[in-house]
Amino acid sequence: MNYLFSDKVKDMQPSAIREIFKSLSDPNMISFAAGNPAAASFPVEKIRAISEQILLTDPTGALQYSVTEGYGPLREQLKARLRDKFSIGTSDDELIVTTGGQQGIDLAAKVLCNEGDTVICENPSFIGALNAFRSYNAKLVGVDVEQDGINVEKLEQALKDNPNTKLIYLIPTFQNPSGITMSLERRRAVLALAERYGAVILEDNPYGELRFDGEDVPTIKSLDKTGTVLYCSSFSKILSAGMRVGFICGNKALIQKIVVVKQVNDVHTNIFFQMLASRFMEVYGLDEHIASIRALYRQKSALMVEALEEQLGGILEIVRPQGGLFIWGTLPDKYDSAVFAKKAIGNMVAVVEGKTFMPDQSAVSHSFRMNYSTPTDEQIIEGVRRLRKTLDDYDA
Amino acid sequence: MNYLFSDKVKDMQPSAIREIFKSLSDPNMISFAAGNPAAASFPVEKIRAISEQILLTDPTGALQYSVTEGYGPLREQLKARLRDKFSIGTSDDELIVTTGGQQGIDLAAKVLCNEGDTVICENPSFIGALNAFRSYNAKLVGVDVEQDGINVEKLEQALKDNPNTKLIYLIPTFQNPSGITMSLERRRAVLALAERYGAVILEDNPYGELRFDGEDVPTIKSLDKTGTVLYCSSFSKILSAGMRVGFICGNKALIQKIVVVKQVNDVHTNIFFQMLASRFMEVYGLDEHIASIRALYRQKSALMVEALEEQLGGILEIVRPQGGLFIWGTLPDKYDSAVFAKKAIGNMVAVVEGKTFMPDQSAVSHSFRMNYSTPTDEQIIEGVRRLRKTLDDYDA
């Protein structure tokens, strides 16, 4: 049979990161390409204890169909945490549990975007979100990220040029892949623009709890008095990525529509792990565990920064991370990061070339993303050496 | 802010079944409205043992990000089971794990349907699928289900009338809600029509393993030599509904596209429960457990049939189930099942009125769906008494 795919998906390809992973089966390959949390960050003993308790005390609740909105106690705990830690949540807001943060992004796009509508995003941005928007045939418009975050003048120009902009997708804190945190001033300016032009901001904050240096900056959602911001995040980077539990919060009208669409997407999120996350928060709290992850990532990021400075100082310009999982490196203009990343694979080290993260796939990038949460300390040292060798090969 | 929802979702409402559930909080209400498996069907002890083993032997594998296609060993086990039990699977076919059967339906619609394209479905059909198709703004065309399954002449007429039909959605075995199983002759005829008119069949078979009477009929997928059929099912009715693990299988080209779209939907399905399903199949096998579920449902369905015959014999025409979870009852033409169902709630028994399952929401139905897997035996007896009282009230 000859398959006619829908217009929205017919040109979609597996993400480039995914393709890189296929070359990672060689045990000698050092990967800085992943976006995985460190395996050491999973609180295995506590999860085992809670799992057993759930299956002893409420097996039917954990194994039966549940409600689309999510496990009631977990929703209340998340609302309380968002309120206490991030000043998020008004009486007009609601929160639902999603199947990872990714589902929140997908559903937000689905409820707001017709085919051809514009989604403005940071340039560069998270590939999983860009592809979700592409899968609804949205037009992607990238606005450059600078040291203080998205360029506000260019954002306004993009809004003027694209009157059918439905969504502005932002990762304001420890942006993926650039590592940049948007300043409070720019957050305010971006929110004001979104309000003026009638576009919803989707604030994605998966790394917000992982600050190991510097001062927290208020979330855009905490500044929102008009229901302009949808805020999504997940347990993937602070408890377990494989359990696929995230959440999205925003104005009730938006959330109610997202619930209806989630219902036909997967009925509800795995209820066992919703209960597990809830009991983890109740019994152990998240703060102590998150503190241990921060300490781990502080150490690993410092190690990678030090190695990069030693091996590539003065050539590779890096954004020194204050949190999150990534270091963004930029080579001088004469280097194409697509070529560099390919040569790096030849030297048995994997990074993700910058173009992967760009809304405009015809652009050339001089940057690439490195992850420090997954490799061992030895791999970080040796992998950076291989990057140096790759640069020498490039020059040769 | 004034929200402009996308055309495809703007008219979507929570499903009527969901709304019924809100009236079920009263402990005196007897519900025949659910589609839940019996809580007694969950093999809690075995799940507890396997959970503990997984978190002892491979905690990182169970808690870390995984691949979109699904857990390798589980995919192989599912392919083997489909091949051995259902003669499904050719060298051109592939199988991926989905977040419940529902996600398979959603993704199939997304990859195949543009807005305005036609999805032909049985009339009546599963509300979760109908709403998934609606959420992509597909045009739903219902074709009546008869004693032997979908009316083949009407199906051909619908295909002629709707040249942009991309998908024919069928639940050939223990159809939800009608309980009807399509004859082999009609399965062959339907497949031939789909091939001739170039539409993909989505064969949904969540109840196929739950036959407790009569003989198995080959799946449509087992007859498919041309890659015309996508086949989806899940563990929801045979292991646990809350764990949200299903699968979809079909021609590689279709499955590859579904993988790309699933990746941006939820990255991958909860990996812990994929491992759990795999180890359950490996250690205990599914057959013995499924045999116990069949025995349970045989007893409960017989009890409900007997009660219905005693209380409503000669008035309510029922489809006597040979498997699955439901009994479909049809009242004489003078009764509107929407009115009946509302009066039933007043008598503290909940059923789902027939219109809920109809592609054409302006139609009137004289039928309603009753579930026997969830209520206790006492509730079945008493609930049917209340249905009799409801009929008397209607007549009064």
Side-chain angles (χ1 to χ4, degrees):
Chain A
M1 189 169 180
N2 224 342
Y3 305 110
L4 277 179
F5 293 113
S6 66
D7 295 339
K8 55 191 172 295
V9 310
K10 67 175 192 287
D11 296 327
M12 286 190 71
Q13 300 297 331
S15 96
I17 296 182
R18 227 186 130 60
E19 296 308 297
I20 291 170
F21 283 146
K22 292 189 182 151
S23 66
L24 300 185
S25 48
D26 187 328
N28 295 318
M29 182 71 74
I30 293 176
S31 175
F32 297 160
N36 291 3
S41 74
F42 303 140
V44 175
E45 291 305 318
K46 290 172 179 167
I47 287 176
R48 191 150 65 216
I50 295 175
S51 294
E52 193 182 357
Q53 193 214 7
I54 290 171
L55 288 172
L56 279 170
T57 58
D58 190 8
T60 301
L63 298 172
Q64 186 58 281
Y65 280 120
S66 186
V67 295
T68 304
E69 288 86 346
Y71 183 56
L74 178 62
R75 293 171 67 207
E76 293 312 313
Q77 287 163 302
L78 286 170
K79 284 183 205 174
R81 187 173 180 84
L82 288 179
R83 191 173 55 235
D84 299 345
K85 295 250 162 192
F86 299 97
S87 304
I88 286 177
T90 71
S91 58
D92 291 329
D93 284 336
E94 196 40 274
L95 175 148
I96 66 156
V97 178
T98 54
T99 303
Q102 182 72 39
Q103 192 189 37
I105 297 168
D106 183 302
L107 296 180
K110 186 169 178 182
V111 304
L112 289 169
C113 297
N114 287 320
E115 296 191 36
D117 280 348
T118 295
V119 176
I120 295 178
C121 51
E122 292 157 309
N123 180 29
S125 187
F126 168 49
I127 176 79
L130 301 186
N131 282 343
F133 304 138
R134 291 183 178 118
S135 83
Y136 293 104
N137 228 350
K139 176 185 170 191
L140 288 180
V141 174
V143 175
D144 290 344
V145 175
E146 300 164 336
Q147 193 153 349
D148 280 349
I150 197 165
N151 181 306
V152 175
E153 290 72 35
K154 288 183 183 169
L155 173 61
E156 178 153 27
Q157 192 58 51
L159 285 161
K160 280 183 184 158
D161 292 344
N162 297 279
N164 62 345
T165 298
K166 296 295 171 63
L167 210 50
I168 303 171
Y169 173 73
L170 302 169
I171 312 164
T173 302
F174 315 133
Q175 205 253 2
N176 178 6
S178 74
I180 281 167
T181 293
M182 196 186 297
S183 67
L184 178 56
E185 191 190 344
R186 292 205 179 185
R187 290 175 193 227
R188 289 208 170 101
V190 165
L191 177 59
L193 284 177
E195 287 172 344
R196 190 173 324 142
Y197 288 87
V200 171
I201 290 174
L202 177 57
E203 179 176 25
D204 188 10
N205 195 23
Y207 317 110
E209 302 250 23
L210 299 183
R211 178 177 287 281
F212 46 72
D213 197 9
E215 292 295 318
D216 278 335
V217 182
T219 61
I220 304 180
K221 181 66 188 156
S222 72
L223 309 171
D224 175 28
K225 307 294 173 214
T226 55
T228 301
V229 184
L230 275 169
Y231 177 92
C232 67
S233 186
S234 84
F235 285 96
S236 294
K237 309 300 187 289
I238 55 174
L239 196 56
S240 154
M243 74 185 204
R244 314 305 304 127
V245 179
F247 54 90
I248 187 164
C249 121
N251 182 276
K252 281 174 184 165
L254 282 168
I255 297 297
Q256 277 165 8
K257 192 60 86 175
I258 289 174
V259 168
V260 173
V261 177
K262 176 174 167 62
Q263 193 178 18
V264 303
N265 187 188
D266 65 0
V267 188
H268 64 81
T269 295
N270 185 296
I271 179 64
F272 177 90
F273 277 97
Q274 293 188 65
M275 293 166 76
L276 189 144
S278 171
R279 295 209 187 170
F280 192 97
M281 291 174 83
E282 182 190 327
V283 176
Y284 304 107
L286 283 174
D287 291 339
E288 192 187 332
H289 176 59
I290 288 172
S292 73
I293 301 177
R294 287 174 175 168
L296 177 67
Y297 291 174
R298 182 184 296 117
Q299 177 266 321
K300 291 182 97 69
S301 72
L303 184 70
M304 189 178 262
V305 165
E306 198 182 318
L308 287 168
E309 284 178 345
E310 191 185 306
Q311 296 288 337
L312 292 155
I315 306 167
L316 185 74
E317 192 185 315
I318 63 169
V319 178
R320 186 184 289 262
Q322 297 196 319
L325 309 182
F326 305 113
I327 295 177
W328 184 243
T330 302
L331 291 162
D333 282 358
K334 67 172 176 169
Y335 300 96
D336 177 341
S337 71
V339 178
F340 182 85
K342 201 166 176 185
K343 287 182 190 288
I345 293 280
N347 284 326
M348 303 302 279
V349 58
V351 298
V352 187
E353 55 143 329
K355 202 175 81 172
T356 303
F357 307 100
M358 295 170 80
D360 174 4
Q361 283 294 288
S362 65
V364 172
S365 173
H366 314 293
S367 305
F368 57 91
R369 191 188 76 176
M370 293 163 281
N371 163 270
Y372 49 78
S373 58
T374 317
T376 63
D377 290 357
E378 294 68 32
Q379 288 175 322
I380 288 175
I381 304 285
E382 174 58 23
V384 172
R385 269 198 213 110
R386 295 180 187 178
L387 289 179
R388 170 73 223 195
K389 180 176 184 311
T390 303
L391 193 82
D392 295 339
D393 294 349
Y394 202 118
D395 289 333
Chain B
M1 186 168 181
N2 224 343
Y3 305 109
L4 276 179
F5 293 113
S6 66
D7 295 339
K8 53 190 174 296
V9 311
K10 66 176 193 289
D11 296 326
M12 286 191 71
Q13 299 297 332
S15 96
I17 295 181
R18 230 186 129 61
E19 296 308 296
I20 290 169
F21 284 145
K22 292 190 182 151
S23 66
L24 299 185
S25 49
D26 186 329
N28 295 316
M29 182 71 73
I30 292 175
S31 175
F32 297 159
N36 290 5
S41 74
F42 302 141
V44 174
E45 292 305 318
K46 290 172 179 166
I47 287 176
R48 191 148 67 215
I50 295 175
S51 295
E52 194 183 353
Q53 193 214 5
I54 290 172
L55 288 172
L56 280 170
T57 58
D58 190 8
T60 302
L63 298 171
Q64 186 58 283
Y65 280 120
S66 187
V67 294
T68 305
E69 288 85 347
Y71 183 57
L74 178 63
R75 292 171 67 207
E76 293 311 313
Q77 288 164 299
L78 286 169
K79 285 183 203 173
R81 186 173 180 86
L82 288 179
R83 190 174 56 235
D84 298 345
K85 296 250 162 191
F86 298 98
S87 305
I88 285 177
T90 72
S91 58
D92 291 329
D93 284 336
E94 197 39 273
L95 175 148
I96 66 157
V97 177
T98 55
T99 303
Q102 181 73 38
Q103 192 190 37
I105 297 168
D106 184 300
L107 296 181
K110 185 170 178 181
V111 303
L112 290 168
C113 297
N114 287 319
E115 297 193 35
D117 280 348
T118 296
V119 175
I120 295 178
C121 52
E122 293 157 308
N123 180 30
S125 187
F126 168 48
I127 175 80
L130 300 186
N131 282 344
F133 304 138
R134 288 183 180 118
S135 83
Y136 293 103
N137 228 350
K139 176 184 168 191
L140 289 180
V141 173
V143 175
D144 290 345
V145 175
E146 300 165 337
Q147 194 153 348
D148 280 348
I150 198 167
N151 181 307
V152 176
E153 289 73 35
K154 288 183 184 169
L155 172 59
E156 178 153 27
Q157 192 58 52
L159 285 162
K160 280 182 184 159
D161 293 345
N162 297 278
N164 62 344
T165 298
K166 295 295 171 62
L167 209 51
I168 303 172
Y169 173 73
L170 302 169
I171 312 163
T173 302
F174 316 135
Q175 206 255 0
N176 178 6
S178 73
I180 282 167
T181 293
M182 196 187 297
S183 67
L184 178 56
E185 192 190 342
R186 292 204 178 186
R187 290 175 193 228
R188 290 207 169 102
V190 164
L191 177 59
L193 284 176
E195 288 172 346
R196 191 174 321 144
Y197 289 88
V200 171
I201 290 175
L202 177 57
E203 179 175 24
D204 188 9
N205 195 22
Y207 317 110
E209 302 250 24
L210 299 183
R211 178 177 287 280
F212 46 72
D213 198 9
E215 294 294 319
D216 278 336
V217 182
T219 60
I220 303 178
K221 181 66 187 154
S222 71
L223 310 171
D224 174 29
K225 307 294 174 214
T226 56
T228 302
V229 183
L230 276 169
Y231 177 92
C232 67
S233 186
S234 83
F235 285 96
S236 294
K237 310 300 189 290
I238 56 175
L239 195 56
S240 156
M243 74 185 203
R244 315 304 303 128
V245 179
F247 54 90
I248 187 163
C249 121
N251 182 277
K252 281 173 183 165
L254 282 168
I255 296 298
Q256 278 165 6
K257 191 61 86 174
I258 289 174
V259 168
V260 173
V261 177
K262 175 176 169 61
Q263 193 178 17
V264 302
N265 187 189
D266 64 2
V267 189
H268 65 81
T269 295
N270 184 294
I271 180 65
F272 177 91
F273 276 100
Q274 293 189 65
M275 293 167 76
L276 189 143
S278 171
R279 295 211 185 169
F280 192 98
M281 291 175 83
E282 182 189 327
V283 177
Y284 303 107
L286 282 173
D287 292 338
E288 191 187 333
H289 177 60
I290 289 173
S292 74
I293 302 177
R294 288 174 174 168
L296 177 67
Y297 291 175
R298 181 183 296 117
Q299 176 267 323
K300 291 184 95 72
S301 71
L303 184 71
M304 188 178 264
V305 166
E306 198 182 320
L308 287 168
E309 285 178 346
E310 191 185 306
Q311 296 287 338
L312 291 155
I315 305 167
L316 185 74
E317 191 185 315
I318 62 169
V319 177
R320 185 184 291 262
Q322 297 196 319
L325 308 181
F326 304 113
I327 296 175
W328 183 243
T330 302
L331 291 163
D333 282 358
K334 68 171 175 169
Y335 301 97
D336 177 341
S337 70
V339 178
F340 182 86
K342 200 165 179 186
K343 287 182 189 288
I345 293 280
N347 284 326
M348 303 301 278
V349 58
V351 298
V352 186
E353 55 141 330
K355 201 175 79 172
T356 304
F357 306 100
M358 295 171 81
D360 174 4
Q361 283 294 288
S362 65
V364 171
S365 173
H366 314 294
S367 304
F368 56 90
R369 190 188 76 175
M370 294 164 280
N371 163 270
Y372 50 78
S373 58
T374 316
T376 64
D377 291 357
E378 295 67 33
Q379 287 174 322
I380 288 175
I381 303 285
E382 174 58 22
V384 172
R385 269 198 211 109
R386 294 179 188 178
L387 289 180
R388 171 73 223 194
K389 180 175 183 312
T390 303
L391 193 83
D392 294 339
D393 293 351
Y394 202 119
D395 288 334

